[in-house]
Amino acid sequence: MALTEQELRTLDYEPDAGGHFGDYGGRYVSETLMAALSELDQNYQKLKNDPDFQREFDADLASFVGRPSPLYHAERWSKAIGGAQIYFKREDLNHTGAHKVNNTIGQALLAKYSGKPRVIAETGAGQHGVASATVAARLGLECVVYMGADDVERQSPNVYRMKLLGAKVVPVESGSRTLKDALNEAMRDWVTNVDDTFYIIGTVAGPAPYPQLVRDFNAVVGREVKWQSKELFGQYPDALVACVGGGSNAIGLFYPFLKDTEVAIYGVEAAGRGLSTNEHAAPLCSGRPGVLHGAKTYLMDNSDGQIAHTHSVSAGLDYPGVGPEHAYLKDIGRANYVGATDDEALAAFHEVSQVEGIIPALETSHALAYTKKLAATMRPDQTVVCNMSGRGDKDIFTVAKMEGISLT
Amino acid sequence: MSSNRIQQRMDALKASNRKALIPYIVAGDPTPDVTVPAMHAMVTAGADIIELGMPFSDPFADGPVNQRGAERAIAGGMTLRGVLDAVSEFRQTDQETPIVLMGYLNPLIAMGEVAFCDACQDSGVDGLLIVDMPPEEEGSLVEAAKKRGLDLIYLAAPTTTDERLKTIGQATSGYLYYVSLKGITGSSKLDTTEVASRIEHMRQHVSVPICVGFGIRTAEDAAAISSTADGSIVGTVLVSQVEALINDPAKIPDALQSILKPMREAMDAKA
Ligand SMILES: Cc1ncc(COP(=O)(O)O)c(C=O)c1O
């Protein structure tokens, strides 16, 4: 339960040897996966501190992704809102257009160092699939991407991108034909082909050690914000905001600041048509603890424990679970989790496009919607950093369609 | 005592030099009313223990056949309470055949793990096999199950190291479920000689009976596996048969019998 500020400042925020963050996380998988997960864990714990591995990772982030990404002062928008100064951490400027590539580079390097010639991935919006296909192409690895059949239809430009990059895209027809089913299918592939295959998971969910290693690969975001904020305005931000699907862009920003309790932390979930309806994807705001995809965490299920069908305007947030570390941060009171509805996100999508000249991803637009609310309650000498997790090029078809505009 | 039903059955089989035939179906597939007649039919065909699947929306260790079975059952209105009710109904006329419930953890958490174990005891369940709960994640379920004399059956896989095998061998009761191949339920590549040598090896670490599942499709498979293992677990072929008859569910019990009978005969002929 909620810890004191003194406790929050001194916690080490690392999972235990079994990958538990407090009660959450762990390895709730069938025996067939246990050996693969412990092999991965051993490789990762070794490589994490290996200077050659880290050097190669950093070099790729610099020359292939284009890091560091800028911390940008959204001056016009801040002024229009009339509250805190808003800064965007520009992950949208990364190669492939989102934060996802930080993680896929890290995991593809792990695959390479572990001698696995084949990688698989699951994807919802297609961003993680594209990022995986991209690094697989660059490293010469075979790549198979599982994608819910409904998402294949909703996100056809990204499906084509993955194919251009040489990946095979497999539509998943089971269950709700979305991200969670793609994840099930990827796990099945991994169980069957575990000898030569590395599973590049797309967010901080799944069995240990995935939540930890995906976090570590994305933590470059928060580390950069630490020195960039000092450079730009002389101190750490007063608040951090990021959208939470599985939670990888959010934890990447939050993690380096966890012990700095003077920095307030807000994760924004997809409230869909409203948290009081059943049509949302906000397990931390209105779900309960359970077990899904190999980890104990907050999730959305019905009274019989069947996983719920979720809804969000953004495919990347349309997931009934959430990374276990977020569940832990919620319970100990280090981070706040709030919701933004489809309508609020769409309004922010348009507003930021027009006021700042940046078309944000629909996922990111949820974080922007809450940033606006939060900034309005703060003073102009205060600062908020919002993670601009991705750019909205992939979403223009969705938005146009909702507004009755045909682009083809 | 419910806890002894599995052991009694295993002891009796051993005494008569026979091996266990363990069929698996998804409770409520395709509708709730088929389940109990199907269970009785399987016993008539020679089943020694019944594994009854508790349907779950996201069964990631299962193949497409079993997942479709679970989807049909959920769509047909089956709930965890409904599974337990089916066991109670079965027990009205069969107090002998051990029943193992197999499934995933989340529905149990939703009911409450202690309440679930109470309900298992009340309805006459003998064992639990929770696919996504390895011994490392033992929690309140394990304690509650042990107190109520429910056997906890764990899985071992071809990739399981000797060190883990020791842990699993100590945790499991009733029997050990050896997953015969890398992959999900319904995979087709079964290598019976490799399985035989693994079983010999595992017996150094495991004292309970070892039953083998995943990939057993024919009477020959069942006989070959149980020439070294203590039992053959048969699932996907049965669920496929149910799937073939979803428009004619009254025929399901007979159809399951005609798959299991030849298996029973082939296994007994080998013994
Ligand atoms: C731009 C963008 N932001 C956020 C997300 C949500 O994922 P996560 O919560 O892991 O950052 C996605 C997922 O596809 C995305 O594409």
Side-chain angles (χ1 to χ4, degrees):
Chain A
M1 291 299 102
L3 301 180
T4 64
E5 174 147 2
Q6 185 52 35
E7 287 168 327
L8 292 174
R9 293 190 84 86
T10 49
L11 263 186
D12 79 345
Y13 296 99
E14 295 304 324
D16 70 13
H20 302 94
F21 297 90
D23 261 359
Y24 302 104
R27 240 172 242 166
Y28 291 85
V29 295
S30 88
E31 182 58 29
T32 43
L33 273 181
M34 288 305 277
L37 289 169
S38 34
E39 182 194 310
L40 173 62
D41 195 28
Q42 278 162 15
N43 282 342
Y44 179 62
Q45 303 305 341
K46 203 166 61 210
L47 289 170
K48 191 165 80 156
N49 301 313
D50 178 294
D52 289 337
F53 179 84
Q54 283 305 336
R55 209 172 302 124
E56 196 168 344
F57 181 52
D58 292 343
D60 281 359
L61 289 182
S63 67
F64 192 64
V65 178
R67 303 206 71 90
S69 68
L71 186 62
Y72 163 80
H73 187 189
E75 261 183 284
R76 272 198 356 117
W77 202 41
S78 305
K79 212 169 261 160
I81 295 166
Q85 301 308 307
I86 298 169
Y87 288 80
F88 296 157
K89 177 59 174 166
R90 298 292 307 275
E91 293 302 293
D92 60 312
L93 294 177
N94 292 345
H95 182 40
T96 73
H99 70 287
K100 298 274 177 192
V101 73
N102 303 323
N103 167 47
T104 54
I105 287 193
Q107 289 198 54
L109 277 182
L110 274 180
K112 186 177 119 177
Y113 276 70
S114 322
K116 311 264 174 173
R118 178 174 180 269
V119 295
I120 57 172
E122 87 294 339
T123 197
Q127 290 306 100
H128 174 62
V130 168
S132 300
T134 299
V135 294
R138 179 159 174 273
L139 295 177
L141 305 169
E142 183 192 342
C143 179
V144 176
V145 180
Y146 291 94
M147 190 169 185
D150 282 359
D151 290 335
V152 169
E153 269 166 47
R154 286 198 275 188
Q155 307 284 339
S156 56
N158 271 343
V159 174
Y160 186 57
R161 271 183 201 113
M162 288 183 260
K163 288 181 182 162
L164 285 175
L165 291 160
K168 185 173 156 214
V169 179
V170 182
V172 177
E173 304 281 351
S174 57
S176 61
R177 299 156 52 104
T178 58
L179 178 58
K180 77 174 177 68
D181 311 287
L183 220 149
N184 289 332
E185 211 55 41
M187 291 234 219
R188 289 178 181 134
D189 180 315
W190 198 34
V191 180
T192 313
N193 302 299
V194 61
D195 290 336
D196 72 343
T197 298
F198 189 99
Y199 177 20
I200 303 186
I201 205 166
T203 187
V204 285
Y210 279 111
Q212 182 193 9
L213 70 87
V214 175
R215 173 197 73 187
D216 291 351
F217 291 140
N218 266 304
V220 63
V221 174
R223 282 198 303 272
E224 288 174 3
V225 170
K226 279 198 139 176
W227 61 258
Q228 289 172 320
S229 57
K230 285 254 157 103
E231 217 170 82
L232 280 174
F233 46 86
Q235 57 186 21
Y236 289 159
D238 294 294
L240 305 172
V241 182
C243 66
V244 178
S248 65
N249 87 88
I251 206 76
L253 175 63
F254 300 167
Y255 173 67
F257 288 98
L258 290 175
K259 292 180 187 178
D260 304 301
T261 51
E262 71 278 14
V263 180
I265 293 178
Y266 298 89
V268 187
E269 294 191 306
R273 302 201 167 94
L275 290 178
S276 55
T277 71
N278 279 330
E279 296 176 79
H280 60 75
L284 290 166
C285 291
S286 73
R288 58 176 175 175
V291 169
L292 176 66
H293 292 147
K296 184 175 272 186
T297 186
Y298 278 79
L299 50 79
M300 289 174 54
D301 60 357
N302 69 13
S303 60
D304 205 37
Q306 306 298 347
I307 303 305
H309 289 205
T310 51
H311 162 82
S312 170
V313 66
S314 69
L317 302 184
D318 203 352
Y319 178 64
V322 65
E325 190 168 4
H326 287 290
Y328 178 60
L329 295 177
K330 173 188 158 81
D331 281 9
I332 63 173
R334 179 60 188 101
N336 307 287
Y337 294 91
V338 296
T341 63
D342 288 353
D343 289 346
E344 290 169 329
L346 282 164
F349 174 88
H350 285 297
E351 196 171 315
V352 171
S353 297
Q354 290 178 13
V355 177
E356 291 295 343
I358 298 170
I359 302 177
L362 280 176
E363 291 80 12
T364 312
S365 301
H366 290 73
L368 292 166
Y370 187 74
T371 297
K372 182 178 176 178
K373 277 191 201 169
L374 179 68
T377 67
M378 294 166 69
R379 298 186 314 268
D381 63 330
Q382 292 183 298
T383 51
V384 180
V385 168
C386 176
N387 199 1
M388 181 66 70
S389 59
R391 61 174 175 245
D393 306 38
K394 69 181 175 61
D395 295 312
I396 58 173
F397 302 94
T398 309
V399 175
K401 195 170 163 197
M402 287 189 350
E403 295 175 351
I405 300 163
S406 164
L407 295 183
T408 43
Chain B
M1 273 297 295
S2 64
S3 72
N4 293 332
R5 237 184 244 136
I6 294 175
Q7 202 191 332
Q8 277 170 10
R9 178 59 55 107
M10 286 297 185
D11 289 348
L13 285 165
K14 196 164 191 187
S16 59
N17 203 22
R18 294 165 76 233
K19 299 299 174 72
L21 174 60
I22 308 179
Y24 165 91
I25 56 171
V26 182
D29 175 22
T31 52
D33 51 314
V34 180
T35 302
V36 175
M39 290 165 76
H40 287 304
M42 295 195 295
V43 174
T44 308
D48 294 297
I49 297 172
I50 292 176
E51 285 186 1
L52 200 54
M54 302 178 277
F56 180 51
S57 54
D58 291 76
F60 62 77
D62 283 292
V65 171
N66 283 350
Q67 171 154 20
R68 286 199 298 273
E71 283 172 8
R72 284 191 298 271
I74 294 167
M78 188 43 106
T79 59
L80 189 50
R81 187 64 256 171
V83 177
L84 293 158
D85 289 345
V87 176
S88 302
E89 193 187 329
F90 174 83
R91 281 276 172 258
Q92 287 171 13
T93 48
D94 186 331
Q95 283 97 45
E96 309 286 308
T97 310
I99 294 179
V100 173
L101 297 186
M102 179 166 180
Y104 294 77
L105 197 49
N106 200 57
L108 281 47
I109 294 174
M111 179 177 277
E113 289 154 287
V114 175
F116 171 74
C117 290
D118 278 338
C120 284
Q121 193 179 28
D122 290 347
S123 49
V125 171
D126 304 285
L128 300 174
L129 199 172
I130 309 304
V131 178
D132 55 355
M133 194 193 66
E136 286 83 350
E137 302 295 351
E138 285 192 358
S140 46
L141 178 73
V142 173
E143 198 186 318
K146 280 186 181 155
K147 267 198 191 136
R148 287 158 188 77
L150 299 166
D151 280 322
L152 282 163
I153 292 139
Y154 285 93
L155 300 168
T159 48
T160 303
T161 59
D162 283 355
E163 201 186 330
R164 279 186 58 73
L165 205 51
K166 277 180 209 151
T167 314
I168 294 168
Q170 270 159 20
T172 199
S173 61
Y175 54 94
L176 177 77
Y177 186 135
Y178 179 61
V179 174
S180 57
L181 35 86
K182 289 177 197 158
I184 48 182
T185 53
S187 307
S188 48
K189 36 179 190 180
L190 180 68
D191 181 341
T192 48
T193 36
E194 194 183 317
V195 172
S197 75
R198 265 302 278 182
I199 288 174
E200 284 319 309
H201 179 78
M202 286 192 295
R203 291 206 196 275
Q204 297 167 18
H205 303 289
V206 179
S207 54
V208 294
I210 300 175
C211 300
V212 176
F214 282 38
I216 298 177
R217 300 182 158 269
T218 63
E220 294 75 60
D221 291 341
I225 288 292
S226 54
S227 65
T228 43
D230 300 298
S232 292
I233 303 165
V234 184
T236 302
V237 269
L238 301 178
V239 181
S240 294
Q241 182 60 262
V242 170
E243 180 160 65
L245 291 171
I246 45 176
N247 293 319
D248 205 353
K251 292 197 174 137
I252 288 171
D254 280 351
L256 298 182
Q257 277 199 346
S258 8
I259 295 173
L260 291 172
K261 263 199 184 128
M263 290 186 170
R264 174 85 271 165
E265 282 157 16
M267 285 166 65
D268 290 352
K270 262 247 155 81

